[in-house]
Amino acid sequence: DAGVTQTPRHEVAEKGQTIILKCEPVSGHNDLFWYRQTKIQGLELLSYFRSKSLMEDGGAFKDRFKAEMLNSSFSTLKIQPTEPKDSAVYLCASSLRGRQDTQYFGPGTRLLVL
Amino acid sequence: QQQVRQSPQSLTVWEGETAILNCSYEDSTFNYFPWYQQFPGEGPALLISISSVSDKKEDGRFTIFFNKREKKLSLHITDSQPGDSATYFCAGDNNNRIFFGDGTQLVVKP
């Protein structure tokens, strides 16, 4: 089985641009998570979907970050407009329904905002 | 308030030694404690997990010791290998939400 796929692996954006990150979860997984990872803040939850329904939207990330799950096998994370402080690794993970303890992570997208 | 804390932030051991990574938590409703291993340029991967009804879980060279009363757990890596050099994340799951610690960066010197 294929693991979690994320594209692109690297992204460079100018301040103010809109970027869209993509994720394909493990086939058959119902739960999907978006995280931001930085050395200072560690792993921060951005969004959490269960069976395509948004369960948690990450509070502080609401204004410029929007995650969508268009179908059970594809999700996007839009950042609009980007700011230099958004530079980080964005990780997507999926799990079987209710099994948050056993998440499968993608390789991440490394975003640099200039 | 951080739900899951890890120490030390970084740890260096020699090949063959036992590395001990510590974790503590706040939420007494946590019932699963997974540990994830992350290599540079990759996403975290589940390494080993323990349920709150157990006090020990072993998988090869990796062992979790769990003390529910003190809300502490530790990951022991015996006979450490250079290939174990990675960042290790402890997490707590209460069936509603999972919380990750900030990680311990382990370096194993040959």
Side-chain angles (χ1 to χ4, degrees):
Chain A
D1 275 343
V4 175
T5 303
Q6 289 189 250
T7 55
R9 291 296 310 276
H10 302 273
E11 179 79 63
V12 180
E14 297 284 339
K15 178 182 172 182
Q17 266 188 284
T18 295
I19 62 107
I20 297 177
L21 309 182
K22 300 168 188 173
C23 173
E24 295 177 35
V26 173
S27 177
H29 281 187
N30 303 101
D31 291 359
L32 184 138
F33 309 83
W34 281 99
Y35 294 92
R36 184 170 76 176
Q37 185 175 35
T38 61
K39 284 197 186 302
I40 295 173
Q41 298 293 336
L43 276 164
E44 300 173 282
L45 180 69
L46 300 175
S47 292
Y48 162 38
F49 292 88
R50 170 163 294 173
S51 301
K52 299 187 294 180
S53 296
L54 182 63
M55 305 297 290
E56 191 160 344
D57 63 4
F61 297 96
K62 271 184 183 178
D63 57 346
R64 296 181 299 108
F65 292 73
K66 183 173 182 180
E68 290 185 311
M69 195 149 185
L70 306 178
N71 57 55
S72 60
S73 59
F74 186 69
S75 177
T76 58
L77 175 66
K78 180 191 288 187
I79 308 176
Q80 178 183 36
T82 52
E83 297 182 5
K85 65 180 179 181
D86 299 332
S87 298
V89 175
Y90 290 83
L91 291 163
C92 177
S94 68
S95 72
L96 291 171
R97 182 182 176 88
R99 290 307 307 272
Q100 297 185 59
D101 60 307
T102 310
Q103 295 185 30
Y104 291 77
F105 283 82
T109 295
R110 184 173 293 276
L111 173 65
L112 176 62
V113 182
L114 305 174
Chain B
Q1 185 183 23
Q2 193 162 7
Q3 293 287 340
V4 177
R5 297 180 189 274
Q6 290 187 248
S7 65
Q9 196 170 8
S10 62
L11 176 66
T12 299
V13 299
W14 293 101
E15 182 175 356
E17 290 186 331
T18 296
I20 300 175
L21 290 65
N22 300 302
C23 180
S24 63
Y25 63 96
E26 297 294 328
D27 189 339
S28 58
T29 66
F30 285 160
N31 51 19
Y32 285 102
F33 299 89
W35 286 81
Y36 284 80
Q37 179 188 56
Q38 184 178 28
F39 295 107
E42 299 181 11
L46 180 65
L47 178 66
I48 185 172
S49 180
I50 192 167
S51 128
S52 61
V53 299
S54 301
D55 54 16
K56 181 181 176 181
K57 176 78 175 289
E58 196 170 346
D59 185 357
R61 296 184 295 107
F62 301 89
T63 303
I64 301 174
F65 293 92
F66 178 60
N67 185 324
K68 190 169 186 175
R69 184 179 60 83
E70 295 188 9
K71 293 185 183 177
K72 290 181 179 178
L73 55 162
S74 59
L75 175 67
H76 292 226
I77 306 174
T78 57
D79 188 24
S80 296
Q81 301 296 309
D84 297 330
S85 297
T87 299
Y88 293 81
F89 293 95
C90 171
D93 175 20
N94 59 14
N95 282 342
N96 189 41
R97 177 80 194 274
I98 187 170
F99 294 86
F100 288 89
D102 288 340
T104 291
Q105 187 172 13
L106 173 67
V107 174
V108 181
K109 290 189 172 181

